[in-house]
Amino acid sequence: MAAYHPPPPPRPGGAVDPQQLRQAVAILHALNHSLRQGIIRLLTDDGARLTVTEIFTALRIEQSVASQHLAILRAARLVVPERDGKFIYYTLVADRLTHLLALVRDLSHLSDETTG
């Protein structure tokens, strides 16, 4: 499993790094669906580690639907899979969400500065 590396600090003068912005957009896109939000909620419990079966059962959806949404969350690096025997468990990359919220907050402050 690859370690999460936080983005670099903001640029001088409050400018946002374009790469950081692209990553934030990809994460926001991944979060912009009620089923994916449901998966995130399931995984937010301390140390939550769930299989696809546990996820689709809890959300009352088909296994293939859960797998498709997990793939989108994996691509955005919001969840990471971990094999344990014959099972694959998914966990949330909470640091990534924390950094996204910080970036959104920074963008909000930049917007306030340009409009105020």
Side-chain angles (χ1 to χ4, degrees), residues 107-116:
L107 289 173
S108 174
H109 291 309
L110 285 176
S111 175
D112 291 345
E113 291 171 7
T114 59
T115 59

PDB file of all heavy atoms in Angstrom, residues 107-116:
ATOM      1  N   LEU A 107      -9.159  28.222  -0.829  1.00  0.00           N
ATOM      2  CA  LEU A 107      -9.797  28.784  -2.025  1.00  0.00           C
ATOM      3  C   LEU A 107     -10.905  29.752  -1.644  1.00  0.00           C
ATOM      4  O   LEU A 107     -11.097  30.783  -2.295  1.00  0.00           O
ATOM      5  CB  LEU A 107     -10.348  27.662  -2.911  1.00  0.00           C
ATOM      6  CG  LEU A 107      -9.312  26.822  -3.629  1.00  0.00           C
ATOM      7  CD1 LEU A 107      -9.989  25.648  -4.313  1.00  0.00           C
ATOM      8  CD2 LEU A 107      -8.532  27.648  -4.626  1.00  0.00           C
ATOM      9  N   SER A 108     -11.634  29.425  -0.599  1.00  0.00           N
ATOM     10  CA  SER A 108     -12.696  30.299  -0.122  1.00  0.00           C
ATOM     11  C   SER A 108     -12.135  31.635   0.331  1.00  0.00           C
ATOM     12  O   SER A 108     -12.678  32.691   0.018  1.00  0.00           O
ATOM     13  CB  SER A 108     -13.449  29.614   1.019  1.00  0.00           C
ATOM     14  OG  SER A 108     -14.393  30.491   1.582  1.00  0.00           O
ATOM     15  N   HIS A 109     -11.007  31.605   1.038  1.00  0.00           N
ATOM     16  CA  HIS A 109     -10.368  32.850   1.488  1.00  0.00           C
ATOM     17  C   HIS A 109      -9.870  33.657   0.301  1.00  0.00           C
ATOM     18  O   HIS A 109      -9.997  34.886   0.295  1.00  0.00           O
ATOM     19  CB  HIS A 109      -9.216  32.566   2.448  1.00  0.00           C
ATOM     20  CG  HIS A 109      -9.660  32.022   3.775  1.00  0.00           C
ATOM     21  ND1 HIS A 109     -10.626  32.612   4.543  1.00  0.00           N
ATOM     22  CD2 HIS A 109      -9.267  30.913   4.455  1.00  0.00           C
ATOM     23  CE1 HIS A 109     -10.819  31.923   5.638  1.00  0.00           C
ATOM     24  NE2 HIS A 109     -10.010  30.864   5.616  1.00  0.00           N
ATOM     25  N   LEU A 110      -9.313  32.989  -0.711  1.00  0.00           N
ATOM     26  CA  LEU A 110      -8.862  33.706  -1.914  1.00  0.00           C
ATOM     27  C   LEU A 110     -10.035  34.367  -2.608  1.00  0.00           C
ATOM     28  O   LEU A 110      -9.949  35.491  -3.074  1.00  0.00           O
ATOM     29  CB  LEU A 110      -8.163  32.747  -2.875  1.00  0.00           C
ATOM     30  CG  LEU A 110      -6.755  32.300  -2.511  1.00  0.00           C
ATOM     31  CD1 LEU A 110      -6.256  31.290  -3.520  1.00  0.00           C
ATOM     32  CD2 LEU A 110      -5.826  33.496  -2.439  1.00  0.00           C
ATOM     33  N   SER A 111     -11.157  33.655  -2.671  1.00  0.00           N
ATOM     34  CA  SER A 111     -12.355  34.208  -3.302  1.00  0.00           C
ATOM     35  C   SER A 111     -12.849  35.428  -2.537  1.00  0.00           C
ATOM     36  O   SER A 111     -13.223  36.420  -3.137  1.00  0.00           O
ATOM     37  CB  SER A 111     -13.441  33.129  -3.359  1.00  0.00           C
ATOM     38  OG  SER A 111     -14.629  33.670  -3.850  1.00  0.00           O
ATOM     39  N   ASP A 112     -12.817  35.352  -1.195  1.00  0.00           N
ATOM     40  CA  ASP A 112     -13.248  36.486  -0.383  1.00  0.00           C
ATOM     41  C   ASP A 112     -12.362  37.693  -0.603  1.00  0.00           C
ATOM     42  O   ASP A 112     -12.820  38.826  -0.654  1.00  0.00           O
ATOM     43  CB  ASP A 112     -13.230  36.106   1.110  1.00  0.00           C
ATOM     44  CG  ASP A 112     -14.305  35.090   1.464  1.00  0.00           C
ATOM     45  OD1 ASP A 112     -15.235  34.883   0.667  1.00  0.00           O
ATOM     46  OD2 ASP A 112     -14.189  34.486   2.546  1.00  0.00           O
ATOM     47  N   GLU A 113     -11.043  37.452  -0.776  1.00  0.00           N
ATOM     48  CA  GLU A 113     -10.101  38.544  -0.986  1.00  0.00           C
ATOM     49  C   GLU A 113     -10.312  39.245  -2.335  1.00  0.00           C
ATOM     50  O   GLU A 113     -10.175  40.449  -2.444  1.00  0.00           O
ATOM     51  CB  GLU A 113      -8.652  38.028  -0.911  1.00  0.00           C
ATOM     52  CG  GLU A 113      -8.239  37.606   0.477  1.00  0.00           C
ATOM     53  CD  GLU A 113      -6.889  36.906   0.494  1.00  0.00           C
ATOM     54  OE1 GLU A 113      -6.212  36.866  -0.569  1.00  0.00           O
ATOM     55  OE2 GLU A 113      -6.503  36.401   1.564  1.00  0.00           O
ATOM     56  N   THR A 114     -10.671  38.457  -3.351  1.00  0.00           N
ATOM     57  CA  THR A 114     -10.828  39.045  -4.687  1.00  0.00           C
ATOM     58  C   THR A 114     -12.178  39.731  -4.848  1.00  0.00           C
ATOM     59  O   THR A 114     -12.314  40.619  -5.677  1.00  0.00           O
ATOM     60  CB  THR A 114     -10.652  37.984  -5.788  1.00  0.00           C
ATOM     61  OG1 THR A 114     -11.614  36.957  -5.606  1.00  0.00           O
ATOM     62  CG2 THR A 114      -9.249  37.416  -5.764  1.00  0.00           C
ATOM     63  N   THR A 115     -13.173  39.314  -4.080  1.00  0.00           N
ATOM     64  CA  THR A 115     -14.500  39.936  -4.208  1.00  0.00           C
ATOM     65  C   THR A 115     -14.735  41.007  -3.160  1.00  0.00           C
ATOM     66  O   THR A 115     -15.658  41.779  -3.286  1.00  0.00           O
ATOM     67  CB  THR A 115     -15.623  38.874  -4.085  1.00  0.00           C
ATOM     68  OG1 THR A 115     -15.526  38.223  -2.832  1.00  0.00           O
ATOM     69  CG2 THR A 115     -15.527  37.865  -5.208  1.00  0.00           C
ATOM     70  N   GLY A 116     -13.920  41.030  -2.120  1.00  0.00           N
ATOM     71  CA  GLY A 116     -14.157  41.955  -1.000  1.00  0.00           C
ATOM     72  C   GLY A 116     -13.363  43.174  -1.127  1.00  0.00           C
ATOM     73  O   GLY A 116     -13.461  44.245  -0.886  1.00  0.00           O
TER      74      GLY A 116
END
